[in-house]
Amino acid sequence: MADTLNSTATDWQQQLQQQLSDRRDANLYRRRITVDGPQGRLLHVEGKQYLSFCNNDYLGLANHPKIKAAAAQAIETDGFGGGASHLVCGHNHWHHLAEQKLAQLTGRDRVLLFSTGYMANLGAINALVGRGDFIFQDKLNHASLIDGALLSQAKFQRYRHNDLPHLERLLEKTPDTGRKLIVSDGVFSMDGDLPRLPELAKLAQQHNAILMVDDAHGFGTIGATGGGIAEQCNLNQQQLPVLVGTLGKAFGCFGAFVAGSETVIETLIQQARSYIYTTSMPPSTAAAIAQSVDLVMEQSWRRDKLQQLIARFRSGAQQLGLQLMDSNTPIQPILLGDEATAIAASEKLKAAGLWVTAIRPPTVPKGTSRLRITFSADHSEADIDRLLSALEKI
Ligand SMILES: *Cc1c(COP(=O)(O)O)cnc(C)c1O
């Protein structure tokens, strides 16, 4: 008996070993690095210092003294742990304040904090649609949106990237028997380009569909006050009723939110399982978020500086004949194609003291492996020039 159990255990572990080694052979194996110290333009890895171009701390706030102080003070007054879920007794005044500030930034009635963007997307999609309903998503949407749709039991279809005629054909073929939800990234996370949002909003309206945008990379970086693509395109709560943002990127904190009408937010509080069945984030994190929202709204120089750095990089890269993507955001990928090429390029940059991670399938489609270069308001023009000269050499 023990033998049988053992051999079964060995079988599945052998299968896992085989899968891992297949992954290695295909250049798809991923390894974590362990970093020391804060995120910023410099990254410390195994005793060495690198100029970093791969975090999502676009505004350079992850190590901001005011955000650190806000968190430290809240730990003194409110302790560390959240203690319970929001609906039991874990909803602290710092969570409430962060929600109010985010409602101001987004121009929406209300905002609901979630612990991560992954959870916000799972929770929002599943609170709004279910069996008998229909979901339409851009092919390049973030994994959390895809997973949210798969979990929902709604009929799930994907339209080709930014191909609105394709989406329109799918909508036209859909019966009026259930709710329709159209979902798009606000800034596509691996390409840096934008959806055609005003047209998406029009299509949604024509087909009586709900429009949901996950602007994880747009909040803080675009829009006059950092309100993201909704602010840039001037879409109100009626035109864009479900707006998701994350707080671990440009806000330099952790967590995420959904912004919308009183009705949408109350529905999420009642029905979003990833909101209900989880401990609230530490109150000090919410205090840091509240502080960060002020900085994001007030310090527009950070967005201006980013735009200058992006323009400098793009014109330099064009002179070098590098293949850039259609992006004016701080995400500036260089498409390399196969996995091995992307890894080799990343390794060469590392040897030159620059940290740029290679992004491979399944994060991006096969044959589109790339260096995903990201900029931060912390970078200097000299940093950009150093990156360009390193890219020239590889
Ligand atoms: C990063 C990201 C998320 C996940 O947010 P987390 O807070 O890191 O879980 C969701 N959507 C998009 C588009 C993202 O880029």
Side-chain angles (χ1 to χ4, degrees):
M1 188 65 192
D3 269 4
T4 326
L5 278 179
N6 258 340
S7 80
T8 314
T10 311
D11 284 350
W12 67 260
Q13 296 225 25
Q14 274 169 354
Q15 281 171 9
L16 297 185
Q17 281 296 344
Q18 187 58 47
Q19 285 170 3
L20 290 171
S21 78
D22 289 349
R23 197 172 266 262
R24 245 178 242 117
D25 294 344
N27 284 314
L28 294 176
Y29 204 79
R30 299 171 189 220
R31 275 171 232 281
R32 303 176 304 175
I33 53 160
T34 307
V35 307
D36 295 306
Q39 292 291 335
R41 56 185 279 279
L42 298 176
L43 188 70
H44 296 92
V45 187
E46 289 165 7
K48 289 205 189 91
Q49 177 176 286
Y50 298 87
L51 190 53
S52 165
F53 292 99
C54 55
N55 69 36
N56 301 314
D57 178 28
Y58 304 120
L59 297 182
L61 293 177
N63 191 36
H64 193 284
K66 281 194 171 174
I67 294 179
K68 294 201 292 187
Q73 277 164 23
I75 289 174
E76 283 307 315
T77 55
D78 294 74
F80 189 72
S85 67
H86 285 274
L87 296 183
V88 175
C89 65
H91 188 64
N92 180 280
H93 67 105
W94 288 116
H95 299 123
H96 213 68
L97 180 68
E99 291 180 345
Q100 286 168 337
K101 290 200 179 267
L102 285 163
Q104 224 181 316
L105 169 67
T106 54
R108 267 44 182 173
D109 288 353
R110 265 181 93 181
V111 158
L112 192 67
L113 270 188
F114 282 76
S115 287
T116 69
Y118 195 103
M119 292 165 74
N121 285 333
L122 243 59
I125 291 173
N126 284 275
L128 295 171
V129 292
R131 195 190 301 277
D133 296 328
F134 304 90
I135 301 176
F136 306 88
Q137 292 203 21
D138 190 290
K139 270 254 178 193
L140 294 189
N141 275 0
H142 190 262
S144 56
L145 294 168
I146 306 292
D147 292 359
L150 292 173
L151 184 65
S152 72
Q153 305 189 58
K155 179 163 189 233
F156 177 28
Q157 291 170 280
R158 297 168 80 183
Y159 56 92
R160 286 188 293 274
H161 180 51
N162 272 342
D163 184 345
L164 298 200
H166 185 204
L167 170 61
E168 191 166 17
R169 285 196 297 281
L170 297 178
L171 285 164
E172 277 162 3
K173 279 190 265 172
T174 303
D176 278 321
T177 52
R179 265 183 227 157
K180 291 170 236 164
L181 176 68
I182 301 171
V183 190
S184 177
D185 275 20
V187 172
F188 288 92
S189 54
M190 296 299 134
D191 293 48
D193 60 340
L194 308 178
R196 291 155 57 189
L197 193 55
E199 289 154 272
L200 261 183
K202 209 171 286 167
L203 259 188
Q205 199 168 24
Q206 281 163 2
H207 291 269
N208 192 26
I210 307 166
L211 179 59
M212 169 173 170
V213 167
D214 170 5
D215 204 12
H217 300 272
F219 272 107
T221 63
I222 59 179
T225 65
I229 192 166
E231 183 179 28
Q232 181 165 294
C233 297
N234 200 16
L235 289 187
N236 63 27
Q237 177 173 295
Q238 203 199 342
Q239 296 159 309
L240 173 48
V242 188
L243 185 53
V244 178
T246 66
L247 300 159
K249 291 168 180 159
F251 291 85
C253 296
F254 180 75
F257 63 91
V258 180
S261 67
E262 190 65 35
T263 308
V264 166
I265 298 306
E266 268 308 313
T267 300
L268 297 190
I269 292 174
Q270 305 305 320
Q271 311 216 57
R273 292 165 66 86
S274 60
Y275 181 75
I276 300 165
Y277 297 107
T278 196
T279 302
S280 65
M281 67 168 67
S284 55
T285 303
I289 292 165
Q291 173 60 258
S292 176
V293 176
D294 285 347
L295 293 171
V296 164
M297 292 180 78
E298 286 159 12
Q299 301 192 337
S300 56
W301 65 264
R302 292 179 187 271
R303 281 178 286 282
D304 298 342
K305 170 125 183 258
L306 257 183
Q307 282 308 318
Q308 284 162 18
L309 297 173
I310 293 163
R312 188 177 186 93
F313 172 75
R314 285 185 71 85
S315 86
Q318 262 149 11
Q319 279 167 24
L320 296 179
L322 294 172
Q323 197 185 342
L324 290 172
M325 297 185 81
D326 176 27
S327 164
N328 285 308
T329 67
I331 303 167
Q332 291 292 330
I334 295 185
L335 204 57
L336 292 172
D338 73 85
E339 295 78 39
T341 310
I343 293 172
S346 174
E347 286 297 325
K348 278 186 200 151
L349 290 174
K350 183 176 160 190
L354 304 171
W355 202 285
V356 184
T357 308
I359 304 286
R360 295 164 281 164
T363 308
V364 293
K366 212 171 158 35
T368 71
S369 288
R370 65 196 67 183
L371 292 173
R372 179 178 180 268
I373 294 168
T374 54
F375 297 119
S376 151
D378 246 5
H379 284 124
S380 65
E381 297 200 332
D383 293 339
I384 305 295
D385 296 346
R386 199 174 142 202
L387 172 65
L388 285 166
S389 89
L391 285 170
E392 185 175 16
K393 288 184 196 120
I394 64 171

PDB file of all heavy atoms in Angstrom, residues 116-118 121 142 144 185 189 214 216-217 246 249 255-256, ligand 1:
ATOM      1  N   THR A 116      -5.729  44.096  -4.092  1.00  0.00           N
ATOM      2  CA  THR A 116      -4.850  44.101  -5.269  1.00  0.00           C
ATOM      3  C   THR A 116      -5.707  44.345  -6.518  1.00  0.00           C
ATOM      4  O   THR A 116      -6.931  44.153  -6.495  1.00  0.00           O
ATOM      5  CB  THR A 116      -4.112  42.751  -5.481  1.00  0.00           C
ATOM      6  OG1 THR A 116      -5.057  41.748  -5.869  1.00  0.00           O
ATOM      7  CG2 THR A 116      -3.360  42.296  -4.245  1.00  0.00           C
ATOM      8  N   GLY A 117      -5.031  44.706  -7.601  1.00  0.00           N
ATOM      9  CA  GLY A 117      -5.717  44.881  -8.876  1.00  0.00           C
ATOM     10  C   GLY A 117      -6.293  43.567  -9.370  1.00  0.00           C
ATOM     11  O   GLY A 117      -7.366  43.529  -9.969  1.00  0.00           O
ATOM     12  N   TYR A 118      -5.555  42.508  -9.130  1.00  0.00           N
ATOM     13  CA  TYR A 118      -6.030  41.176  -9.528  1.00  0.00           C
ATOM     14  C   TYR A 118      -7.391  40.906  -8.878  1.00  0.00           C
ATOM     15  O   TYR A 118      -8.354  40.478  -9.520  1.00  0.00           O
ATOM     16  CB  TYR A 118      -4.994  40.134  -9.101  1.00  0.00           C
ATOM     17  CG  TYR A 118      -5.193  38.783  -9.751  1.00  0.00           C
ATOM     18  CD1 TYR A 118      -4.381  38.372 -10.802  1.00  0.00           C
ATOM     19  CD2 TYR A 118      -6.191  37.920  -9.312  1.00  0.00           C
ATOM     20  CE1 TYR A 118      -4.562  37.138 -11.405  1.00  0.00           C
ATOM     21  CE2 TYR A 118      -6.379  36.692  -9.908  1.00  0.00           C
ATOM     22  CZ  TYR A 118      -5.566  36.301 -10.951  1.00  0.00           C
ATOM     23  OH  TYR A 118      -5.753  35.080 -11.548  1.00  0.00           O
ATOM     24  N   ASN A 121     -10.327  43.198 -10.229  1.00  0.00           N
ATOM     25  CA  ASN A 121     -10.881  42.762 -11.510  1.00  0.00           C
ATOM     26  C   ASN A 121     -11.741  41.505 -11.365  1.00  0.00           C
ATOM     27  O   ASN A 121     -12.826  41.415 -11.930  1.00  0.00           O
ATOM     28  CB  ASN A 121      -9.748  42.545 -12.518  1.00  0.00           C
ATOM     29  CG  ASN A 121      -9.213  43.871 -13.024  1.00  0.00           C
ATOM     30  OD1 ASN A 121      -9.937  44.863 -13.048  1.00  0.00           O
ATOM     31  ND2 ASN A 121      -7.952  43.893 -13.409  1.00  0.00           N
ATOM     32  N   HIS A 142      -5.116  42.441 -19.553  1.00  0.00           N
ATOM     33  CA  HIS A 142      -4.339  41.843 -18.465  1.00  0.00           C
ATOM     34  C   HIS A 142      -4.921  40.497 -18.012  1.00  0.00           C
ATOM     35  O   HIS A 142      -6.140  40.294 -18.038  1.00  0.00           O
ATOM     36  CB  HIS A 142      -4.338  42.819 -17.285  1.00  0.00           C
ATOM     37  CG  HIS A 142      -3.394  42.453 -16.190  1.00  0.00           C
ATOM     38  ND1 HIS A 142      -3.799  41.785 -15.057  1.00  0.00           N
ATOM     39  CD2 HIS A 142      -2.065  42.648 -16.063  1.00  0.00           C
ATOM     40  CE1 HIS A 142      -2.753  41.606 -14.267  1.00  0.00           C
ATOM     41  NE2 HIS A 142      -1.689  42.120 -14.853  1.00  0.00           N
ATOM     42  N   SER A 144      -5.566  39.259 -15.219  1.00  0.00           N
ATOM     43  CA  SER A 144      -6.589  39.271 -14.169  1.00  0.00           C
ATOM     44  C   SER A 144      -7.987  39.509 -14.750  1.00  0.00           C
ATOM     45  O   SER A 144      -8.986  39.026 -14.200  1.00  0.00           O
ATOM     46  CB  SER A 144      -6.260  40.338 -13.122  1.00  0.00           C
ATOM     47  OG  SER A 144      -6.120  41.604 -13.728  1.00  0.00           O
ATOM     48  N   ASP A 185      -8.100  47.198 -21.109  1.00  0.00           N
ATOM     49  CA  ASP A 185      -7.040  47.902 -20.390  1.00  0.00           C
ATOM     50  C   ASP A 185      -7.139  49.384 -20.759  1.00  0.00           C
ATOM     51  O   ASP A 185      -7.542  49.718 -21.879  1.00  0.00           O
ATOM     52  CB  ASP A 185      -5.652  47.399 -20.847  1.00  0.00           C
ATOM     53  CG  ASP A 185      -5.170  46.143 -20.102  1.00  0.00           C
ATOM     54  OD1 ASP A 185      -6.008  45.433 -19.528  1.00  0.00           O
ATOM     55  OD2 ASP A 185      -3.944  45.891 -20.123  1.00  0.00           O
ATOM     56  N   SER A 189      -0.631  46.936 -20.878  1.00  0.00           N
ATOM     57  CA  SER A 189       0.479  46.855 -19.932  1.00  0.00           C
ATOM     58  C   SER A 189       1.801  46.413 -20.540  1.00  0.00           C
ATOM     59  O   SER A 189       2.855  46.767 -20.037  1.00  0.00           O
ATOM     60  CB  SER A 189       0.110  45.944 -18.755  1.00  0.00           C
ATOM     61  OG  SER A 189      -0.324  44.680 -19.220  1.00  0.00           O
ATOM     62  N   ASP A 214      -9.720  49.055 -17.092  1.00  0.00           N
ATOM     63  CA  ASP A 214      -8.708  48.849 -16.061  1.00  0.00           C
ATOM     64  C   ASP A 214      -7.503  49.711 -16.424  1.00  0.00           C
ATOM     65  O   ASP A 214      -6.712  49.364 -17.294  1.00  0.00           O
ATOM     66  CB  ASP A 214      -8.325  47.359 -16.024  1.00  0.00           C
ATOM     67  CG  ASP A 214      -7.112  47.092 -15.145  1.00  0.00           C
ATOM     68  OD1 ASP A 214      -6.616  48.023 -14.492  1.00  0.00           O
ATOM     69  OD2 ASP A 214      -6.664  45.923 -15.107  1.00  0.00           O
ATOM     70  N   ALA A 216      -4.704  50.538 -14.888  1.00  0.00           N
ATOM     71  CA  ALA A 216      -3.617  50.302 -13.936  1.00  0.00           C
ATOM     72  C   ALA A 216      -2.374  51.147 -14.244  1.00  0.00           C
ATOM     73  O   ALA A 216      -1.700  51.619 -13.329  1.00  0.00           O
ATOM     74  CB  ALA A 216      -3.245  48.819 -13.931  1.00  0.00           C
ATOM     75  N   HIS A 217      -2.086  51.349 -15.537  1.00  0.00           N
ATOM     76  CA  HIS A 217      -0.862  52.075 -15.896  1.00  0.00           C
ATOM     77  C   HIS A 217      -1.121  53.522 -16.292  1.00  0.00           C
ATOM     78  O   HIS A 217      -0.187  54.285 -16.495  1.00  0.00           O
ATOM     79  CB  HIS A 217      -0.139  51.357 -17.042  1.00  0.00           C
ATOM     80  CG  HIS A 217       0.247  49.965 -16.702  1.00  0.00           C
ATOM     81  ND1 HIS A 217       1.441  49.642 -16.083  1.00  0.00           N
ATOM     82  CD2 HIS A 217      -0.428  48.797 -16.827  1.00  0.00           C
ATOM     83  CE1 HIS A 217       1.486  48.341 -15.877  1.00  0.00           C
ATOM     84  NE2 HIS A 217       0.364  47.796 -16.313  1.00  0.00           N
ATOM     85  N   THR A 246      -4.947  50.754 -10.111  1.00  0.00           N
ATOM     86  CA  THR A 246      -4.142  50.063  -9.103  1.00  0.00           C
ATOM     87  C   THR A 246      -3.241  51.073  -8.419  1.00  0.00           C
ATOM     88  O   THR A 246      -2.941  52.132  -8.956  1.00  0.00           O
ATOM     89  CB  THR A 246      -3.311  48.913  -9.696  1.00  0.00           C
ATOM     90  OG1 THR A 246      -2.344  49.454 -10.580  1.00  0.00           O
ATOM     91  CG2 THR A 246      -4.191  47.925 -10.436  1.00  0.00           C
ATOM     92  N   LYS A 249       1.494  50.872  -8.663  1.00  0.00           N
ATOM     93  CA  LYS A 249       2.303  51.330  -9.795  1.00  0.00           C
ATOM     94  C   LYS A 249       2.621  52.814  -9.612  1.00  0.00           C
ATOM     95  O   LYS A 249       3.429  53.150  -8.766  1.00  0.00           O
ATOM     96  CB  LYS A 249       1.593  50.960 -11.092  1.00  0.00           C
ATOM     97  CG  LYS A 249       1.622  49.437 -11.239  1.00  0.00           C
ATOM     98  CD  LYS A 249       0.748  48.841 -12.296  1.00  0.00           C
ATOM     99  CE  LYS A 249       0.923  47.324 -12.273  1.00  0.00           C
ATOM    100  NZ  LYS A 249      -0.197  46.605 -12.881  1.00  0.00           N
ATOM    101  N   GLY A 255      -2.271  47.925  -3.598  1.00  0.00           N
ATOM    102  CA  GLY A 255      -3.725  47.868  -3.561  1.00  0.00           C
ATOM    103  C   GLY A 255      -4.326  48.341  -4.869  1.00  0.00           C
ATOM    104  O   GLY A 255      -3.611  48.555  -5.858  1.00  0.00           O
ATOM    105  N   ALA A 256      -5.642  48.483  -4.873  1.00  0.00           N
ATOM    106  CA  ALA A 256      -6.351  48.857  -6.093  1.00  0.00           C
ATOM    107  C   ALA A 256      -7.712  49.411  -5.726  1.00  0.00           C
ATOM    108  O   ALA A 256      -8.093  49.402  -4.555  1.00  0.00           O
ATOM    109  CB  ALA A 256      -6.503  47.636  -6.996  1.00  0.00           C
TER     110      ALA A 256
HETATM  111  C1  LIG B   1      -0.589  45.224 -12.632  1.00  0.00           C
HETATM  112  C2  LIG B   1      -1.942  45.106 -13.240  1.00  0.00           C
HETATM  113  C3  LIG B   1      -2.991  44.548 -12.525  1.00  0.00           C
HETATM  114  C4  LIG B   1      -2.782  43.889 -11.189  1.00  0.00           C
HETATM  115  O1  LIG B   1      -2.675  44.830 -10.177  1.00  0.00           O
HETATM  116  P1  LIG B   1      -2.021  44.362  -8.788  1.00  0.00           P
HETATM  117  O2  LIG B   1      -2.434  45.402  -7.837  1.00  0.00           O
HETATM  118  O3  LIG B   1      -0.550  44.322  -9.037  1.00  0.00           O
HETATM  119  O4  LIG B   1      -2.596  43.015  -8.487  1.00  0.00           O
HETATM  120  C5  LIG B   1      -4.243  44.553 -13.078  1.00  0.00           C
HETATM  121  N1  LIG B   1      -4.454  45.063 -14.306  1.00  0.00           N
HETATM  122  C6  LIG B   1      -3.455  45.577 -15.048  1.00  0.00           C
HETATM  123  C7  LIG B   1      -3.749  46.121 -16.412  1.00  0.00           C
HETATM  124  C8  LIG B   1      -2.163  45.603 -14.541  1.00  0.00           C
HETATM  125  O5  LIG B   1      -1.169  46.083 -15.271  1.00  0.00           O
END
